[in-house]
Amino acid sequence: ETGVTQTPRHLVMGMTNKKSLKCEQHLGHNAMYWYKQSAKKPLELMFVYSLEERVENNSVPSRFSPECPNSSHLFLHLHTLQPEDSALYLCASSQDVPSGGAGETQYFGPGTRLLVL
Amino acid sequence: TQLLEQSPQFLSIQEGENLTVYCNSSSVFSSLQWYRQEPGEGPVLLVTVVTGGEVKKLKRLTFQFGDARKDSSLHITAAQPGDTGLYLCAGASGGSYIPTFGRGTSLIVHP
């Protein structure tokens, strides 16, 4: 138990569906992240939020839309996805966005396993 | 883009054996982290190294950061089935200090 929860744990959706992934952290952290983990590829950073403001967006297609209503909650809204978007989507949090040195310890949730048909 | 190469990609060994996995890059990192990810879970941080040549020990795990801060290794002594998992390295450097991850080494330790 890392203090970061994600729901749902598994999701199957068609290409025309709209769904949302939810992440909640109980650690009092200020920074939250979305990552995509695909087979045979490195963990890819998608979005970073610091105190509810988006600070990084790594050229993610617009069919992925993040939302951070407060520092404890992070959503990833999905619409018109493609089969290649099937992956494990991981949420993480850290005390703050790293600014150098040893950086910040990131705490990951268990992920949502997404399958797009 | 910083590229972290991890080797080997897969490793299957018997309980009690020793092993070393590697993380290499052409980039210099201000810090490097090792994570272990078990099936159905997210990665969990094992260690962060920041000084070139630094060696850290965590029970049977020994982590080393290269002198030039471009590479790192993880050595496990007397591996146990509980060590099974995906070992990820992640490096951070100037600009954005958010770590970039390697593809990982998938380790299976058989009883």
Side-chain angles (χ1 to χ4, degrees):
Chain A
E1 180 61 45
T2 63
V4 181
T5 58
Q6 290 187 244
T7 54
R9 294 293 306 273
H10 299 88
L11 179 62
V12 180
M13 60 187 289
M15 289 189 284
T16 58
N17 292 158
K18 289 185 180 181
K19 297 287 184 183
S20 295
L21 310 185
K22 180 182 176 181
C23 174
E24 183 173 0
Q25 57 97 357
H26 313 272
L27 302 168
H29 289 168
N30 297 318
M32 296 189 77
Y33 312 76
W34 278 118
Y35 286 88
K36 176 183 179 182
Q37 188 174 35
S38 307
K40 302 181 181 179
K41 293 177 75 174
L43 214 63
E44 300 171 63
L45 180 66
M46 300 175 72
F47 301 104
V48 182
Y49 277 83
S50 175
L51 296 170
E52 303 138 51
E53 285 193 23
R54 192 189 307 180
V55 297
E56 192 153 333
N57 172 2
N58 279 3
S59 302
V60 179
S62 59
R63 56 186 184 268
F64 295 91
S65 175
E67 178 189 2
C68 188
N70 55 64
S71 59
S72 298
H73 294 86
L74 186 65
F75 294 89
L76 188 63
H77 303 300
L78 316 172
H79 64 97
T80 58
L81 293 193
Q82 304 298 312
E84 59 265 29
D85 296 322
S86 298
L88 180 68
Y89 288 84
L90 290 161
C91 173
S93 71
S94 63
Q95 186 61 58
D96 294 292
V97 174
S99 57
E104 297 277 344
T105 298
Q106 288 180 304
Y107 295 83
F108 285 84
T112 295
R113 176 70 62 186
L114 174 67
L115 177 62
V116 182
L117 300 177
Chain B
T1 302
Q2 309 146 19
L3 191 61
L4 281 160
E5 298 285 349
Q6 290 193 246
S7 60
Q9 189 175 353
F10 300 100
L11 194 53
S12 179
I13 62 172
Q14 292 296 126
E15 183 175 3
E17 292 184 27
N18 301 332
L19 67 117
T20 303
V21 297
Y22 301 92
C23 176
N24 296 292
S25 176
S26 57
S27 300
V28 176
F29 294 103
S30 58
S31 66
L32 195 140
Q33 299 172 326
W34 283 94
Y35 292 80
R36 180 170 63 218
Q37 183 177 16
E38 298 183 15
E41 300 296 330
V44 176
L45 182 68
L46 296 173
V47 76
T48 299
V49 287
V50 296
T51 305
E54 182 177 5
V55 176
K56 282 191 172 179
K57 292 192 175 184
L58 184 66
K59 297 183 181 178
R60 294 176 294 99
L61 278 61
T62 302
F63 304 86
Q64 184 161 8
F65 201 13
D67 291 341
R69 291 185 288 134
K70 292 183 178 182
D71 54 85
S72 182
S73 64
L74 159 59
H75 182 78
I76 302 178
T77 304
Q80 299 177 0
D83 295 327
T84 293
L86 180 68
Y87 288 81
L88 296 161
C89 69
S93 63
S96 168
Y97 288 96
I98 299 171
T100 301
F101 284 80
R103 296 185 185 187
T105 292
S106 181
L107 171 67
I108 298 175
V109 182
H110 300 277

